[in-house]
Amino acid sequence: MFLCHGYASLSATAPLEPFRFDRRDLGPTDVRIAIDYCGVCHSDLHVARNDWQDTMYPFVPGHEIVGRVTEVGSGVSKFKVGDMAGVGTRVESCRTCNSCRRGLEQFCEVGAISTYNSFDKHTGAKTYGGYSEYIVVDEDFVLILPANLDPAAIAPLLCAGITTYSPLMHWKVGSGQKVGIVGLGGLGHMAVKFAHALGAHVALFTTSPSKREDAMRLGADEVIVSNNPSEFIAHRDSFDFILDTVAVDHDVNAYIELLKLDGTMTQIGAPKGPLAVDALKLMSRRRSFAGSQVGGIAETQEMLDFCGKHSIAADIEIIKIQEIEHAFSRMLKSDVKYRFVIDMASLKE
Ligand code: ZN
Ligand code: ZN
């Protein structure tokens, strides 16, 4: 075992604090990564506060991990010491079920091992996330990073990036299509960049007219203010695809009727309760209402390569680990452009 320093929450009401724990010894196919940067995802906060009623304390958040390889097991072939490397939301899966064989580890039928708040496949111990000094992960779940991008701005690609890229790929978004992105936060700003790079006509739906300029800068072709019904009427029956990143309860039917024949609206934000979907609005144009979550390892690598090729990374604000509670409270107010990333060097301060 190796001693590792990090930050943990010890209960649903306690702020994160310095915490020491053990990481497993390197197995033959393991890579040890010294963490340089870790993105701050909404899930980190949800789990820290036990919003999903399944948190095992102490809890170390962080699943947008970027760092440098400091040690490799005897059988590792993909990485060598000194390489940049990334880890996302999953660190293992059963590898044999139908989903795993299709490269869809996020839908592992046995249950993939999450980077945090899960149980290590090798030791049975709890998994701890990236708000820490280093992490030990099997090389098959470690990503190769594009060399031409700012490593800090790559970190959010490991969750927010793949969560938006995967549905755009699955529903084959491309040129000649009209695509809507609902919400301009950590997820939404990545979705706008990807949909634009894929050649689609991109419309951003937001409740804040003040985001118009920023959305256009990020790649939107138009901005629709979502609490202005008159703006909606003009867009009825016109969208091929709408990606909804909003994680609070909202009226999805107003968007569904903007889809044209056979159009799909996909939910990647997760409101707490069930959403009310008007079946008649689906039936009248053979529309689909769907969901998606992150992406498999192969697709995550494909997304990172795509980002390297198109020079796409997240827009970030760098913070110190000591500022995490302040960052959480700003995140709750959507007061971040567009993702906080922790500079892990601050752990030593
Ligand atoms: Zn996440
Ligand atoms: Zn599986």
Side-chain angles (χ1 to χ4, degrees), residues 223-234:
V223 173
I224 301 165
V225 178
S226 46
N227 41 19
N228 183 356
S230 65
E231 284 202 42
F232 270 52
I233 291 166

Side-chain angles (χ1 to χ4, degrees), residues 23 33-40 44 60-68 84-91 115-116 128-137 141-143 145 151-152 154-159 304 341-342 344:
R23 293 280 192 201
I33 301 163
I35 301 171
D36 292 324
Y37 299 103
C38 188
V40 180
D44 299 351
V60 178
H63 60 201
E64 295 182 338
I65 298 166
V66 160
R68 285 159 292 110
M84 296 295 295
V87 178
T89 64
R90 304 289 191 278
V91 288
T115 305
Y116 54 60
Y128 291 118
Y131 294 11
S132 58
E133 269 178 296
Y134 65 87
I135 191 165
V136 176
V137 180
F141 283 78
V142 181
L143 288 310
L145 305 183
I154 292 174
L157 301 177
L158 277 316
C159 178
L304 289 166
V341 172
I342 307 165
M344 276 305 154

Side-chain angles (χ1 to χ4, degrees), residues 263-282:
T264 298
M265 170 152 162
T266 296
Q267 198 66 38
I268 53 171
K272 256 186 179 171
L275 293 166
V277 175
D278 183 344
L280 284 174
K281 288 198 192 334
L282 296 177

